[in-house]
């Protein structure tokens, strides 16, 4: 049964416990400093944590001035996906040019080998890495960061499971709370929120301002009572269940949205998305908590249509909405 569950989650489990995602993914796109056209984005890979095997892919438009910085988290239910897959790579290249923005996308660890909160930890580490670039100044890890990143105009964003990460990273930055791992007795599902050392608390990171959070087709449960077998399986192998603070940020006992100094959110929903009601519920939760949240709905489209069908007639309007938010959807009280 477990093997079948994993097959539904788009990964293959072998008898020795190893996992293979390759049969379901096209070959990765290598980074390219010199794209075929001078109008396209250049891309570059930089290491994040050698021990964990995580890294960052940077997307820079063909401009030579200070640009908004978008820290982006790809989707895939926490168990598959990559920023190097052709569709994801091409989407971020296009967004970098249109926004325009310098995009830093995180290649984080995946479940079930690395259950939650591993993805959160990796993406928080990426935010801390960006702050380190602020401190390094002209000695930053790469000239793109020292010359072109506007660290006072940063955004967090993602699609599908990446929206879940973006929100939890934003909450960590706003509250100073981190994540604890599950106990050996209770398993990963017992993971939750906990206080963290003040020295690593995001609000202390001077010089870095997160102005907004972009959630593209949110991947939460938000208290819904019925789930497909495939979705329940995905959460299971992410290391939690469908009624957990990581999957349902609106449940009782989690850090309060009302008590967090969050920036403005853009919540993009696709009307034919199986998770559309959760996205609407999360937007309502933000508004009810007194937070600034802008809702954008793409009619007649499924989950992550901008990646699966990039030539859809609704993609240009969707991209225009993202670009407008990056250009002007700012909150006067950024979280960092």
């Amino acid at each position: 049964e477990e093997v079948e569950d994993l097959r539904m989650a788009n990964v293959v489990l072998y008898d020795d416990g190893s996992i293979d995602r390759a049969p379901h993914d096209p070959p990765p796109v290598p980074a390219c400093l010199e794209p075929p056209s001078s109008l396209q984005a250049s891309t570059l890979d930089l290491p994040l944590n050698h021990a964990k095997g995580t890294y960052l892919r940077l997307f820079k438009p063909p401009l030579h001035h200070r640009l908004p910085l978008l820290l982006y988290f790809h989707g895939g239910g926490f168990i598959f996906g990559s920023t190097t897959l052709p569709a994801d790579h091409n989407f971020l290249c296009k967004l970098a040019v249109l926004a325009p923005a310098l995009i830093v996308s995180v290649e984080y660890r995946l479940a079930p080998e690395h259950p939650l909160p591993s993805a959160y930890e990796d993406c928080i580490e990426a935010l801390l890495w960006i702050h380190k670039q602020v401190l390094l100044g002209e000695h930053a890890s790469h000239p793109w960061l020292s010359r072109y990143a506007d660290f006072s105009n940063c955004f967090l964003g993602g699609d599908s499971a990446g929206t879940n990460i973006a929100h939890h990273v934003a909450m960590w930055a706003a509250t100073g709370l981190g994540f604890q791992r599950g106990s050996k007795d209770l398993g990963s599902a017992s993971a939750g929120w906990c206080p963290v050392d003040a020295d690593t608390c995001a609000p202390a990171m001077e010089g870095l301002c997160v102005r907004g959070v972009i959630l593209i087709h949110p991947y939460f449960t938000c208290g819904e009572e019925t789930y497909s077998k495939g979705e329940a399986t995905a959460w299971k192998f992410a290391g939690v269940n469908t009624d957990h603070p990581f999957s349902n940020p609106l449940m009782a006992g989690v850090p309060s949205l009302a008590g967090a100094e969050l920036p403005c959110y853009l919540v993009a929903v696709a009307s034919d998305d199986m998770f559309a009601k959760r996205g609407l519920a999360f937007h309502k939760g933000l508004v009810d908590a007194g937070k600034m949240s802008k809702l954008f709905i793409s009619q007649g489209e499924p989950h992550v249509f901008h990646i699966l069908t990039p030539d859809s007639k609704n993609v240009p309007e969707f991209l225009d909405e993202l670009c407008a938010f990056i250009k002007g959807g700012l909150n006067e009280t950024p979280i960092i």
Side-chain angles (χ1 to χ4, degrees), residues 6-24:
L6 273 168
R7 188 176 297 114
M8 292 178 64
N10 280 351
V11 293
V12 177
L13 176 65
Y14 294 104
D15 291 340
D16 63 359
S18 62
I19 295 204
D20 187 8
R21 299 170 178 85
H24 304 277

Side-chain angles (χ1 to χ4, degrees), residues 301-334:
E301 295 286 3
H303 192 61
V304 296
F305 74 94
H306 59 291
I307 290 177
L308 300 178
T309 55
D311 294 328
S312 167
K313 65 179 181 179
N314 290 317
V315 167
E317 182 183 17
F318 165 78
L319 288 171
D320 286 347
E321 194 70 21
L322 300 188
C323 295
F325 185 78
I326 291 172
K327 291 176 181 176
L330 306 183
N331 186 350
E332 294 181 358
T333 56

Side-chain angles (χ1 to χ4, degrees), residues 198-268:
D199 291 339
T200 62
C201 178
M205 297 195 297
E206 297 180 2
L208 180 63
C209 291
V210 175
R211 301 282 185 174
V213 181
I214 299 170
L215 306 186
I216 302 172
H217 307 166
Y219 184 64
F220 302 115
T221 58
C222 291
E224 187 165 312
E225 296 181 355
T226 59
Y227 308 94
S228 69
K229 183 177 180 181
E231 184 187 359
T233 294
W235 284 111
K236 171 185 175 183
F237 286 102
V240 298
N241 56 37
T242 54
D243 188 27
H244 185 277
F246 293 168
S247 55
N248 181 11
L250 301 182
M251 68 186 298
V254 304
S256 167
L257 292 177
E261 292 294 329
L262 294 170
C264 185
Y265 275 56
L266 171 63
V267 180

Side-chain angles (χ1 to χ4, degrees), residues 23-24 58 92 100-101 150-152 164-165 212 247 249 251 262 292 299:
H24 304 277
L58 278 61
L92 292 178
D150 180 358
F151 295 111
S152 68
N164 181 297
I165 296 172
S247 55
M251 68 186 298
L262 294 170
M292 297 171 59
Q299 296 294 339

Side-chain angles (χ1 to χ4, degrees), residues 42-325:
S42 301
T43 55
L44 166 76
D45 290 341
L46 293 176
L48 177 60
N49 187 311
H50 287 290
K52 296 178 180 178
T54 56
Y55 63 93
L56 308 169
R57 174 157 291 188
L58 278 61
F59 299 78
K60 191 189 85 66
L63 297 171
H64 300 285
H65 56 73
R66 293 288 174 180
L67 297 163
L69 180 65
L70 170 60
L71 180 60
Y72 199 85
F73 316 115
H74 69 77
F78 301 107
I79 56 179
F80 58 99
S82 168
T83 193
T84 68
L85 294 179
D88 297 75
H89 175 91
N90 293 338
F91 164 66
L92 292 178
C93 281
K94 183 181 294 186
L95 181 60
V97 171
L98 293 177
L102 180 63
I103 299 177
V104 178
S105 186
V106 186
E107 196 72 358
Y108 53 86
R109 290 171 296 168
L110 299 175
E113 304 97 317
H114 305 285
L116 293 176
S118 294
Y120 302 150
E121 293 168 345
D122 295 344
C123 294
I124 286 172
E125 185 174 9
L127 184 60
L128 290 168
W129 180 90
I130 287 176
H131 180 247
K132 182 179 179 180
Q133 308 313 306
V134 178
L135 301 178
L136 289 172
E138 64 179 15
H139 302 293
S141 297
H142 193 272
W144 285 3
L145 294 151
S146 60
R147 297 175 184 172
Y148 307 126
D150 180 358
F151 295 111
S152 68
N153 192 15
C154 297
F155 295 81
L156 304 176
D159 58 78
S160 193
T163 66
N164 181 297
I165 296 172
H167 171 65
H168 284 301
V169 172
M171 286 294 290
W172 172 82
T175 65
L177 294 174
F179 308 100
Q180 64 185 359
R181 295 189 163 274
S183 71
K184 293 182 179 179
D185 294 334
L186 297 177
S188 297
S190 66
W193 290 83
C194 66
V196 295
D197 191 306
D199 291 339
T200 62
C201 178
M205 297 195 297
E206 297 180 2
L208 180 63
C209 291
V210 175
R211 301 282 185 174
V213 181
I214 299 170
L215 306 186
I216 302 172
H217 307 166
Y219 184 64
F220 302 115
T221 58
C222 291
E224 187 165 312
E225 296 181 355
T226 59
Y227 308 94
S228 69
K229 183 177 180 181
E231 184 187 359
T233 294
W235 284 111
K236 171 185 175 183
F237 286 102
V240 298
N241 56 37
T242 54
D243 188 27
H244 185 277
F246 293 168
S247 55
N248 181 11
L250 301 182
M251 68 186 298
V254 304
S256 167
L257 292 177
E261 292 294 329
L262 294 170
C264 185
Y265 275 56
L266 171 63
V267 180
V269 174
S271 67
D272 292 358
D273 184 353
M274 69 184 81
F275 307 126
K277 290 183 179 179
R278 286 70 149 328
L280 296 174
F282 186 73
H283 165 71
K284 182 178 184 299
L286 287 168
V287 173
D288 290 347
K291 305 306 171 185
M292 297 171 59
S293 180
K294 183 176 183 181
L295 178 67
F296 176 75
I297 302 177
S298 298
Q299 296 294 339
E301 295 286 3
H303 192 61
V304 296
F305 74 94
H306 59 291
I307 290 177
L308 300 178
T309 55
D311 294 328
S312 167
K313 65 179 181 179
N314 290 317
V315 167
E317 182 183 17
F318 165 78
L319 288 171
D320 286 347
E321 194 70 21
L322 300 188
C323 295
F325 185 78

